[in-house]
Amino acid sequence: MSKMINPMQADVALDRSRVTDHGKGKVEVNAQDLTYRELNLLLRVVCDEGAKHLLLKNVNGQRYIATDLPPVKIDIEGCAGNDLGVFMNGCEITVNSNCQDAVGNTMNAGSIIVHGHSSDIAGFAMRGGKVYIRDNSGYRCGIHMKEYEDKIPVLVVGGVAHDFLGEYMAGGVLLLLNRPSVQGATEFGEMPSDLIPSHHIGTGMHGGVIYLRGRVEPYQLGAEVAPVDFTDKDTETLHHEIDEYCNHFEVSDDERQELKDSEYVKLIPVSHRPYGKMYAS
Amino acid sequence: MSFPKHLSSSWQLHGEKIIAACGLIGFMNRDKSLTDGSDIIKAIANMKERSNGLGGGFAGYGIYPDHADQYAFHLMYMDESARVTTEEFLHEHFSIVAAEIIPTDPTAHVHNPPLLWRYFVDVEAASVVNEDESDYVVRLSLEVNDRIEGAFVSSCGKNMGIFKGVGYPEDVGEFFRLYDYKGYTWLSHGRFPTNTQGWWGGCHPFGLLDWAVVHNGELSSYGTNMRHLEMYDYKCTLMTDTEVVAYTIDLLMRKHGLPIEMVEKVIASPLWEAIDRMPEDERVVTEALRRVYGPLLFNGPFSFIIADSERMIGITDRIRLRPLVVATHGPTYYLSSEEASIREICPEPEQIWMPRGGQAAATELYETAKTTNKEEVVTG
Amino acid sequence: MISYSSPEFEVEIKDDLCIRCGACVVNCSFDALEHDEDDDRIVANNRNCVDCRRCAVFCPTLAINIYENGLAFRKHGLWTNRAQREINKQAETGGVLLTSCGNELPSTTHPIYWDHLLLDASQVTNPSIDPLREPMELRTYLGSKPDAIEIDDQGKVKAPNRPSVALETPIMFAAMSFGAISYNVHKSLALAATEAGTLYNTGEGGLHPSLYEYGDNTIVQVASGRYGVFDEYLKAGQMIEIKVGQGAKPGIGGHLPGEKIDAEISLTRMIPEGTDAISPAPHHDVYSIEDLRQLVMSLKEATNYEKLVAVKIAAVHNAAPIASGIARAGADVIVIDGFRGGTGATPTVIRDNVGIPIELALAAVDDRLRQEGIRNQVSVVVSGGIRNSADVAKAIALGADAVYIGTAALIALGCTVCQRCFTGKCAWGLTTQDRQLNKRVNPEEGSERLYNLLRGWSIEIKDILGAMGVNAIESLRGNRLRLRGVGLDEETLKILGVRPAGK
C-alpha cells in the first residue's frame, strides 16, 4: 500500500480498477459515482506513484479536487464539485464543463481553467495563482482575494458576475470581460449589454484592482472603491490577461482585438484603511 | 419512534427552534409528461454530503391519476389506536373513497418507521359551513396533528403526496418504492439538522394542501415571521422554517392573491436604496409591499423550492446566501442546490444558470400558462 | 472637539518618595507622565492614564498610586459614570465604542456561576488521596472516540479512523493572533506549551516561520480572513481550529489596522505591509451547517486526515443545537467561548450584551450531546473567563474535556486588564507591535511564568481530585454529582444539572 495512505483513511475504498495508466506519467481515473473521499484518495495514491498528468473522467460534483496534491496537471471531464482546488499549491487544472461554489478557495499557486461557468464565491481568499472562467460567475466572485510579495492572484471571468464582486478584496487582479456571447439570456435578465449587472462591487475593498469591460453606475459601487484612470501598466496587464484568456478558450482574433480595444472601468480602493473612522476612541 | 405531541410542548421542552440545513432538488415536466420516482432519488443521492442521515423526503405530483379529484391524506401513526381514532375522525368529516397502507420496502435503511396509511377523500358540500373547502381541509388536517395522539398528516393535497422519513433521502425514497410512482413534478430534500429529531413528521417536504416546500437555510427572522402569521390563524407548531415558508406563501398567494412577482418582493424585498432608485410606478408598488408585509421579509440565508399542482418556484434570500441552480431541458425545468445533482439525471441541460438573490425562478405547466394567457415566467 | 469628560483616573506621585529616576516616564506608553525639567518633578497628564499600572510597578520607591476619579461625573444610579462617559465619547466622535479584554460587568447583575458552584470532598465513607505521594493523572485526550473498540482476529486493536492529541494537563492557551499579541508573547506561549505538554493556539494571524518547530504543541487557526493559511501552515500543528466566533464578539468580525502590519506580521499573515487585515464577520464559504461540514472536510482532505479539526463558537442562545450540528459536521473538537471571553478589540456594545455565560452554555451543550448519544464523537473545550484551577475543575465537572486560558495567560505576563489592547500601546509589551515595547517580554522569562502558572494550577487540580478521592481527571469529567450550587434559582440549577448545596 502507498505510504501516503493514512491509516485514518483505511475505511475508504480504494478502487484501482478505476485507474488506467497511459504511460509517461499520464493516468486516467474514472470518477463515475465515486465519493469525493474515494476519488481524492485515489488521486493521492496515483500521484504518489509518480503520475504527473491526471485525466479525470465522469466527474460530477465531487469536492476538494486537487487539494493536498503535488503540482501535477489535471484535466477534469464533467462538473467539478465545490471547493475545486481549495488550498491548492501548484496544480494546473482544466475543467471541460462548469464548476460549482468556491473554485480556487484559498489557493496559493497553480491555475484553474474552467470551460464553462462557476457558481458563487469563485476565488474566495485566493492568494496566488490564476483562475480563468470562460462564462459567467455567481455571487461574491473574487471575495477577499489577497496578494503577497510575488504572489498576485488573477481571476478572469469571460462573462459577468453577480453582486458583491470583489468584496473585501485585498489584492490581486479581477477582470470581467463581459462577453455577450457567453452570457445566458435568462441569467441576468434584460439590460443594456454594456452595463455590468453586479451591485455592491468592491464593497470593503482595500487592495488589488478590478477591471470591468463596460460601464457601471456609481450606485453599483461599494463606498470603498472609485474608478480611476488607466496607466500604461494597466493596459499591459489587461492585454496580457486578455491574451491568456483568449488562448485558453480559442477566442477569434477579431474578438480578441475587440476586447483589447474596448473601454474598461478600473476600480481601486479609495483607502487602505476603509474603516479607520469607525471608532470612538 | 416518538411523536412529540403536542408539538408546542416540544418547543417548551427544548425552548428552541429546529435548525437544519440541507440539499434541495425539484423538477417539473411542464408538458405533464410523467417520470417515475427513480430519477429524483438518483439526483438527491448526488448531494449526500449536504445531508446527514437524519431526514429525507419527497413530494410527487400527478402520482394518483385514479383519485385525481380526491384529497389524498398521507398519515403517519405511532400505533393502531392512533389509526382507529384518526379514521373515525376522517369518517366524521369526509367521505372516504379509499383507504390503504402505503407500500414500503422493509429492507431499506430507515429508522423506526411509523405505520403509514393513505386515504382518498371527498368533501361533502354540506360539511363546509362559513369557510371555503380548502380552508376546511387545512383546518381538519391541522386538527388531526393537534389533537390526535400519535397521528400526523404529512400531506393532504390532490393528486400529490409527500413521502418522508428519518434516513438518507435515497434510502427514504427506496423505502417508499418511489420508482413505482409516476409524476410530472418531483421535489426532494436531504436534511442536515443540528439536533436529533428522530421523528418522521418533522422531516421535509412540508405540505399544506397542494403546496409542498423544501427549504435550505435558516430564517433569522423566524420569530418576527411566525408572530405575524399567527395573527392570521396559522399555528406554527413544528418550529421549522419550512412551515413558515409554506404559510407565508399560502397567505400571500392563495388568500391575498398576489402574483409570484410580488411575493418575491415581500419575502426577499429589494434593499431600500434600490427601491428609492426604481421608476415611480414600480417604486410605489414595491415600497407599499415592503411597508405592508415587512414582517414577512425572510431575513437570513435561505433557498427554497415550493410547488403546487401547477407551479414550481425556487428562490434564495436577497443577498443569495444559499445556493440555487436552475436548468431547463426540453419541457423539464430543474431547480437544485448543486448543478451536479441536475446533471446526474440530465447530463447536458440546454440552459443552466444561477438566479439572482431574491428573484424567483418560477415556472408553471404549459397548460396553465396557456389558460392564464401569459408567457412562461422566467425571472432571474 | 473639547471633551466634556473628566479624566477617568488620577495619578498620585508622592513627591517625598520620588527620586526623579524617570523609570515611570520611560515605562508609560500612553504619554501620561513626563518629567518637568523646570520644576524637576514628575507630572501626570491624567487624561491619558489608562490605569495599566506599569509605572507603579516599575517605580523603585513605590511612589506612584493611581486612583479611580470617583467624582469624574455627578453620581447617579441610572446615568452612571460609565454611561455619561460613553455618551460624551460618541457625541465627540460619532463612532463605535471600542474596548478590549472580557466583559467587565459586575457579578451583581451578571453572575459568575463558577462562584456559585462548590466542589465536593471525601470524608469517612471513601478516602481522600494525597496527591503529593499517590499517583494522580491529568492526561487528557482530545479527539473523536468510537463507542467501542474493535479488535481484529489477531487480538490487535484496529486503528482508529480519527486522530487524537494528548495533553498532560487539561489547560491550553487560547487563540491570540500574532498581530493582536507580540511575537515574544507567541514565543513564550509556544515554549510554555511545549514544556507543559499542552497546546497553544496561533489565532488568526498565521504562524511565524521561526515557530514551526513547536508544531507538536501548536493549534493553527483558520478564521474568516484566511490570513497566513496555506498547505504547510495547515499541516504545521496538531489541530486546526476553525474560528466561527468568540465570546467577546459573537457574530462580529475582526480588523487589524494597517499600522500594525509591519514586516514580521506581513510575513506571517502573508499580506503586504501597511494594509488592513479584515476578518469578515462570517466565513464567506460557511453560511450554513452543511457548509461548515464542507470546510471541516476540506481541511481534513488538505491534511490527509492527520489533523484534528476543532470548531470554535461563541456561547449564544442556541449553543446546544449548534454544537450538535458541529459534531455531526465532522468536527473532532467543539470549542465554546463564553460571555466573558477576552479579545484584543471589540465593540463595547457587543461585548457587554451579546452571548451567554460559559457555565450555562457548557452544561447545555454537554447535556445535549449526551442525550443524542454523540458525546464520544467530539471533545468539548471551553473558555471565557477561566481565572484559576477551581474554575478549571468546575468546568471539567460540568462536562468539559479541557479549557483554554487567554486573559489569565496574559496576566501571568504582566497584563493588568486595562482594556486598551486595541490602542496598540500596551505598556507591558503584550498587545503591541512596537519593537521597543515588545522587548518588555522576554520569551524565556515569559514562558517560565506561563509554565509556573500551569504547574501551580495542575498541582491544585490534583489536590482537588485527591480531596474527592479520585486519582484521574476522567473521574471528574462530567461528574456533576461532585458539584453543588449555592445562591442559584431552581431553573439555573436545572440547566447546570447541579443539586443545591445541602441536598
Side-chain angles (χ1 to χ4, degrees):
Chain A
M1 190 178 263
S2 161
K3 65 178 163 40
M4 279 193 71
I5 298 183
N6 182 337
M8 309 297 172
Q9 296 237 61
D11 55 333
V12 180
L14 186 70
D15 182 359
R16 303 212 62 131
S17 73
R18 301 306 191 102
V19 180
T20 312
D21 193 338
H22 291 300
K24 292 185 181 168
K26 190 168 179 178
V27 174
E28 182 180 313
V29 176
N30 178 6
Q32 178 92 45
D33 297 327
L34 290 183
T35 66
Y36 69 82
R37 288 195 67 174
E38 291 162 348
L39 174 61
N40 292 336
L41 180 62
L42 214 44
L43 300 186
R44 264 179 222 284
V45 170
V46 297
C47 285
D48 189 37
E49 291 167 356
K52 298 288 176 233
H53 185 172
L54 306 174
L55 188 57
L56 311 187
K57 301 264 191 184
N58 302 311
V59 168
N60 193 31
Q62 285 92 346
R63 297 176 173 189
Y64 320 121
I65 294 174
T67 194
D68 200 28
L69 290 186
V72 297
K73 195 168 176 323
I74 307 175
D75 294 330
I76 298 176
E77 288 187 11
C79 177
N82 293 355
D83 269 344
L84 171 64
V86 59
F87 309 119
M88 189 173 91
N89 212 350
C91 293
E92 291 175 22
I93 301 179
T94 305
V95 185
N96 83 340
S97 175
N98 297 328
C99 60
Q100 299 191 160
D101 288 350
V103 55
N105 187 348
T106 323
M107 76 183 250
N108 208 41
S111 64
I112 304 178
I113 295 145
V114 181
H115 290 256
H117 65 219
S118 77
S119 52
D120 298 342
I121 54 167
F124 170 45
M126 67 187 282
R127 183 187 302 112
K130 296 188 161 192
V131 175
Y132 295 91
I133 295 162
R134 190 191 64 195
D135 303 342
N136 295 328
S137 190
Y139 272 65
R140 300 179 176 80
C141 176
I143 180 171
H144 218 167
M145 280 170 70
K146 302 182 176 64
E147 64 184 43
Y148 178 60
E149 295 184 335
D150 58 338
K151 287 189 184 303
I152 299 180
V154 175
L155 174 53
V156 180
V157 176
V160 288
H162 278 301
D163 296 356
F164 303 103
L165 176 68
E167 185 178 10
Y168 299 105
M169 197 167 151
V173 177
L174 179 49
L175 167 60
L176 245 64
L177 292 174
N178 193 7
R179 294 172 69 203
S181 57
V182 300
Q183 293 169 27
T186 44
E187 195 161 350
F188 290 93
E190 283 176 34
M191 56 177 63
S193 64
D194 65 330
L195 187 71
I196 298 289
S198 335
H199 290 81
H200 310 288
I201 299 171
T203 178
M205 183 173 174
H206 53 291
V209 58
I210 300 176
Y211 301 108
L212 306 169
R213 180 167 167 268
R215 67 189 170 86
V216 286
E217 297 289 344
Y219 64 77
Q220 292 175 263
L221 302 181
E224 297 79 16
V225 288
V228 292
D229 291 340
F230 266 63
T231 64
D232 290 347
K233 188 168 170 296
D234 290 316
T235 312
E236 192 186 312
T237 306
L238 207 56
H239 285 196
H240 178 77
E241 293 308 331
I242 290 170
D243 278 332
E244 275 224 31
Y245 174 92
C246 292
N247 294 343
H248 288 314
F249 303 116
E250 295 173 0
V251 177
S252 72
D253 288 348
D254 285 352
E255 197 185 347
R256 181 188 300 242
Q257 198 54 47
E258 191 191 330
L259 290 173
K260 287 185 182 174
D261 294 343
S262 301
E263 291 284 310
Y264 286 80
V265 179
K266 176 191 177 188
L267 299 173
I268 60 165
V270 182
S271 153
H272 291 277
R273 298 262 356 242
Y275 305 109
K277 288 187 178 158
M278 279 291 290
Y279 303 107
S281 50
Chain B
M1 124 167 182
S2 64
F3 269 71
K5 192 56 100 150
H6 177 281
L7 287 157
S8 56
S9 64
S10 86
W11 155 257
Q12 277 156 11
L13 186 68
H14 290 305
E16 72 199 21
K17 186 173 136 246
I18 295 165
I19 300 169
C22 326
L24 320 172
I25 180 157
F27 66 85
M28 171 184 260
N29 300 327
R30 292 170 292 182
D31 58 355
K32 260 190 148 171
S33 61
L34 301 175
T35 306
D36 78 45
S38 43
D39 270 13
I40 193 78
I41 295 176
K42 202 173 163 205
I44 193 76
N46 178 269
M47 294 190 287
K48 190 160 191 158
E49 200 57 19
R50 304 185 77 90
S51 53
N52 69 356
L54 291 180
F58 301 82
Y61 290 85
I63 58 172
Y64 295 132
D66 297 341
H67 295 284
D69 295 327
Q70 281 118 30
Y71 295 96
F73 272 76
H74 278 201
L75 262 299
M76 296 179 177
Y77 298 125
M78 190 167 62
D79 51 33
E80 276 296 312
S81 81
R83 181 176 69 84
V84 172
T85 316
T86 307
E87 287 184 0
E88 279 169 11
F89 179 88
L90 292 176
H91 266 299
E92 194 182 320
H93 300 281
F94 300 99
S95 149
I96 300 181
V97 177
E100 60 197 31
I101 291 176
I102 297 177
T104 53
D105 176 354
T107 63
H109 298 286
V110 295
H111 312 286
N112 303 321
L115 305 174
L116 295 156
W117 281 72
R118 68 185 164 214
Y119 307 86
F120 298 100
V121 307
D122 282 322
V123 175
E124 303 290 341
S127 317
V128 183
V129 185
N130 290 334
E131 62 187 332
D132 70 25
E133 188 179 298
S134 51
D135 285 337
Y136 177 80
V137 176
V138 170
R139 181 167 62 77
L140 291 169
S141 72
L142 291 178
E143 226 163 274
V144 171
N145 293 348
D146 231 18
R147 299 213 184 141
I148 302 177
E149 186 74 27
F152 182 78
V153 178
S154 52
S155 62
C156 58
K158 285 182 179 172
N159 201 6
M160 63 83 69
I162 288 174
F163 305 87
K164 58 185 180 180
V166 177
Y168 280 103
E170 58 271 27
D171 296 328
V172 172
E174 298 278 326
F175 174 74
F176 281 107
R177 308 169 59 100
L178 293 187
Y179 38 79
D180 289 341
Y181 296 82
K182 285 190 161 75
Y184 57 85
T185 298
W186 287 98
L187 304 186
S188 182
H189 186 268
R191 193 158 179 250
F192 199 132
T194 55
N195 65 351
T196 309
Q197 187 78 4
W199 178 58
W200 283 50
C203 299
H204 304 191
F206 177 80
L208 182 77
L209 279 178
D210 287 358
W211 294 120
V213 189
V214 289
H215 168 266
N216 169 21
E218 187 187 353
L219 298 183
S220 307
S221 57
Y222 175 85
T224 305
N225 307 140
M226 174 198 73
R227 296 191 67 221
H228 188 77
L229 289 167
E230 281 176 349
M231 292 199 304
Y232 297 93
D233 297 329
Y234 291 98
K235 282 191 223 163
C236 298
T237 52
L238 289 171
M239 307 318 290
T240 63
D241 293 332
T242 313
E243 185 187 37
V244 157
V245 170
Y247 292 158
T248 302
I249 299 293
D250 187 63
L251 177 73
L252 296 175
M253 293 188 83
R254 187 171 68 88
K255 292 194 177 167
H256 293 188
L258 300 187
I260 182 66
E261 297 79 6
M262 287 194 179
V263 172
E264 71 181 23
K265 290 194 167 71
V266 171
I267 61 177
S269 166
L271 301 169
W272 281 119
E273 55 101 6
I275 295 173
D276 292 345
R277 267 199 324 272
M278 286 174 176
E280 185 62 7
D281 290 353
E282 190 186 356
R283 186 189 65 74
V284 169
V285 173
T286 313
E287 186 185 308
L289 284 169
R290 184 150 181 197
R291 281 168 51 197
V292 172
Y293 293 114
L296 294 176
L297 171 67
F298 293 166
N299 219 321
F302 71 82
S303 60
F304 65 79
I305 305 174
I306 184 164
D308 68 4
S309 53
E310 297 177 340
R311 282 169 286 211
M312 183 172 74
I313 301 159
I315 189 167
T316 70
D317 61 87
R318 57 198 192 148
I319 50 173
R320 210 182 130 100
L321 296 167
R322 301 307 311 137
L324 187 69
V325 183
V326 193
T328 60
H329 193 75
T332 309
Y333 193 93
Y334 298 89
L335 294 165
S336 177
S337 301
E338 292 190 27
E339 180 172 334
S341 75
I342 296 174
R343 289 184 179 271
E344 196 68 29
I345 52 174
C346 176
E348 292 298 332
E350 288 159 2
Q351 286 188 303
I352 188 153
W353 73 95
M354 283 90 48
R356 273 186 175 256
Q359 286 187 3
T363 193
E364 55 195 353
L365 295 173
Y366 290 148
E367 62 183 39
T368 310
K370 215 176 282 170
T371 57
T372 53
N373 197 23
K374 65 178 178 184
E375 294 295 302
E376 172 205 344
V377 182
V378 180
T379 53
Chain C
M1 200 181 287
I2 289 177
S3 175
Y4 290 168
S5 289
S6 307
E8 206 171 344
F9 305 103
E10 283 180 311
V11 186
E12 181 199 23
I13 299 150
K14 296 185 186 108
D15 202 51
D16 52 333
L17 291 178
C18 177
I19 55 170
R20 277 71 171 164
C21 68
C24 56
V25 178
V26 172
N27 270 287
C28 182
S29 55
F30 290 90
D31 294 328
L33 295 167
E34 72 179 306
H35 183 209
D36 185 328
E37 303 286 347
D38 298 339
D39 291 354
D40 187 30
R41 61 189 189 93
I42 305 297
V43 290
N45 179 354
N46 286 339
R47 236 176 238 294
N48 287 353
C49 178
V50 301
D51 189 27
C52 75
R53 302 191 171 258
R54 178 84 187 179
C55 59
V57 169
F58 278 79
C59 174
T61 58
L62 303 178
I64 303 178
N65 268 325
I66 300 159
Y67 300 100
E68 193 176 356
N69 184 2
L71 290 176
F73 290 90
R74 174 83 170 69
K75 289 258 182 242
H76 194 286
L78 178 65
W79 299 105
T80 58
N81 185 322
R82 178 175 163 183
Q84 293 187 58
R85 185 181 301 284
E86 289 182 349
I87 286 171
N88 278 335
K89 213 182 255 183
Q90 293 191 291
E92 286 151 19
T93 63
V96 171
L97 296 167
L98 211 55
T99 187
S100 304
C101 303
N103 191 317
E104 59 171 354
L105 294 173
S107 58
T108 45
T109 53
H110 294 72
I112 298 167
Y113 292 100
W114 303 130
D115 296 338
H116 293 265
L117 292 170
L118 297 172
L119 293 158
D120 193 20
S122 296
Q123 298 290 289
V124 183
T125 53
N126 49 358
S128 50
I129 303 170
D130 183 342
L132 292 181
R133 279 156 288 273
E134 304 274 334
M136 196 54 71
E137 299 173 311
L138 299 188
R139 187 185 294 173
T140 296
Y141 274 89
L142 297 184
S144 178
K145 299 186 287 274
D147 285 320
I149 207 94
E150 277 189 82
I151 309 283
D152 67 13
D153 301 342
Q154 279 86 49
K156 287 188 177 153
V157 175
K158 281 193 186 169
N161 62 4
R162 303 272 285 263
S164 65
V165 59
L167 310 174
E168 292 306 327
T169 187
I171 308 162
M172 301 184 288
F173 296 123
M176 292 179 279
S177 71
F178 175 37
I181 58 174
S182 69
Y183 173 81
N184 285 351
V185 177
H186 246 209
K187 185 158 186 189
S188 303
L189 292 166
L191 289 168
T194 304
E195 179 74 20
T198 185
L199 303 174
Y200 84 107
N201 188 318
T202 61
E204 168 160 51
L207 181 60
H208 194 277
S210 68
L211 298 178
Y212 272 68
E213 62 179 288
Y214 306 104
D216 284 351
N217 297 85
T218 304
I219 300 168
V220 296
Q221 197 180 61
V222 172
S224 63
R226 305 289 154 90
Y227 293 107
V229 175
F230 69 115
D231 51 1
E232 279 175 44
Y233 169 82
L234 294 176
K235 292 172 183 169
Q238 291 270 9
M239 179 153 92
I240 303 169
E241 180 178 273
I242 298 169
K243 179 199 165 183
V244 173
Q246 82 185 77
K249 43 179 168 180
I252 297 288
H255 176 200
L256 190 67
E259 305 84 275
K260 288 197 183 182
I261 313 287
D262 64 10
E264 295 295 307
I265 304 273
S266 152
L267 173 72
T268 309
R269 295 203 173 207
M270 303 170 88
I271 52 170
E273 280 183 56
T275 56
D276 278 12
I278 294 173
S279 297
H283 288 250
H284 279 284
D285 52 357
V286 181
Y287 291 155
S288 68
I289 196 76
E290 77 268 11
D291 287 352
L292 178 69
R293 175 170 177 81
Q294 183 172 313
L295 180 56
V296 168
M297 296 312 289
S298 76
L299 293 169
K300 294 194 171 197
E301 283 282 340
T303 56
N304 201 12
Y305 294 82
E306 287 162 9
K307 306 297 179 188
L308 278 83
V309 175
V311 176
K312 175 178 179 177
I313 57 163
V316 291
H317 302 185
N318 276 332
I322 294 166
S324 162
I326 291 170
R328 294 175 192 285
D332 302 290
V333 177
I334 297 171
V335 182
I336 313 156
D337 191 26
F339 185 55
R340 288 187 186 272
T343 180
T346 176
T348 312
V349 65
I350 300 291
R351 186 193 71 173
D352 291 354
N353 294 283
V354 181
I356 64 170
I358 189 60
E359 301 91 328
L360 303 179
L362 164 60
V365 166
D366 180 67
D367 275 351
R368 174 60 67 88
L369 296 175
R370 284 169 197 266
Q371 280 162 15
E372 296 187 8
I374 54 174
R375 183 64 183 81
N376 281 343
Q377 280 182 29
V378 280
S379 298
V380 174
V381 173
V382 297
S383 58
I386 303 276
R387 302 159 298 174
N388 51 44
S389 60
D391 291 354
V392 179
K394 290 167 187 176
I396 287 172
L398 280 178
D401 288 284
V403 304
Y404 267 136
I405 57 169
T407 307
L410 293 183
I411 291 173
L413 296 173
C415 169
T416 53
V417 203
C418 74
Q419 308 179 54
R420 294 302 191 286
C421 318
F422 67 89
T423 63
K425 293 181 187 171
C426 178
W428 293 86
L430 302 168
T431 60
T432 173
Q433 302 310 319
D434 179 305
R435 288 287 163 262
Q436 290 307 314
L437 295 174
N438 285 168
K439 288 181 187 160
R440 296 180 181 185
V441 177
N442 171 320
E444 274 70 40
E445 194 200 315
S447 71
E448 195 183 334
R449 297 181 77 95
L450 291 165
Y451 174 77
N452 286 344
L453 179 72
L454 292 186
R455 179 174 183 271
W457 285 17
S458 300
I459 295 171
E460 288 175 349
I461 294 168
K462 290 178 179 180
D463 272 334
I464 289 168
L465 292 177
M468 283 184 186
V470 296
N471 58 13
I473 192 87
E474 287 101 309
S475 309
L476 178 64
R477 192 161 287 124
N479 195 344
R480 298 188 192 173
L481 289 173
R482 308 310 294 271
L483 292 172
R484 287 291 186 274
V486 282
L488 296 174
D489 62 60
E490 209 172 315
E491 187 69 24
T492 308
L493 286 166
K494 209 165 103 189
I495 293 165
L496 289 169
V498 167
R499 296 156 87 173
K503 204 167 176 184

